[in-house]
Amino acid sequence: MCRNITELRGLEPAANDTEIEAAARQYVRKVSGITHPTERTSDAFERAVREIAHITEHLLEDLPERRQPPKTVPPLRRPEVQARIAAREAAKAAS
């Protein structure tokens, strides 16, 4: 359905909360058609992200081990993406 959602099963080390939340957010954006929630849609959007992230954690815990890890490095583990996230966090903290 959405090619942008990162495959999380079988990562070494295992997918962290940030990666799971990012995948849930991508899923909710895709199915809802909302990329930037408004004040009116924010509560439902964020609740859906939390619930899907929670279910995803359970799914990953319950599935058996993968025979082979995913073939690509997940976007949130790429150094350039981590640098962008760190810069965004620093800008928020400064303002």
Side-chain angles (χ1 to χ4, degrees):
M1 181 172 102
C2 183
R3 292 175 289 191
N4 294 333
I5 298 174
T6 302
E7 196 172 316
L8 300 177
R9 182 174 169 225
L11 295 179
E12 289 298 331
N16 62 37
D17 292 342
T18 303
E19 291 167 321
I20 291 171
E21 190 266 342
R25 188 167 297 280
Q26 275 300 112
Y27 176 80
V28 173
R29 283 180 179 150
K30 185 66 170 188
V31 299
S32 69
I34 298 170
T35 51
H36 303 289
T38 63
E39 187 175 312
R40 191 170 154 209
T41 61
S42 181
D43 288 343
F45 186 91
E46 293 302 325
R47 184 175 53 253
V49 169
R50 284 191 306 274
E51 290 177 9
I52 291 169
H54 180 74
I55 291 167
T56 301
E57 288 173 10
H58 287 292
L59 174 65
L60 293 174
E61 289 169 1
D62 294 344
L63 289 173
E65 293 287 322
R66 277 187 74 132
R67 292 184 183 170
Q68 294 182 4
K71 292 177 176 58
T72 59
V73 176
L76 292 180
R77 294 185 181 203
R78 294 180 187 153
E80 65 274 12
V81 174
Q82 288 185 353
R84 265 198 325 254
I85 292 170
R88 197 176 322 133
E89 298 289 327
K92 282 183 189 177
S95 54

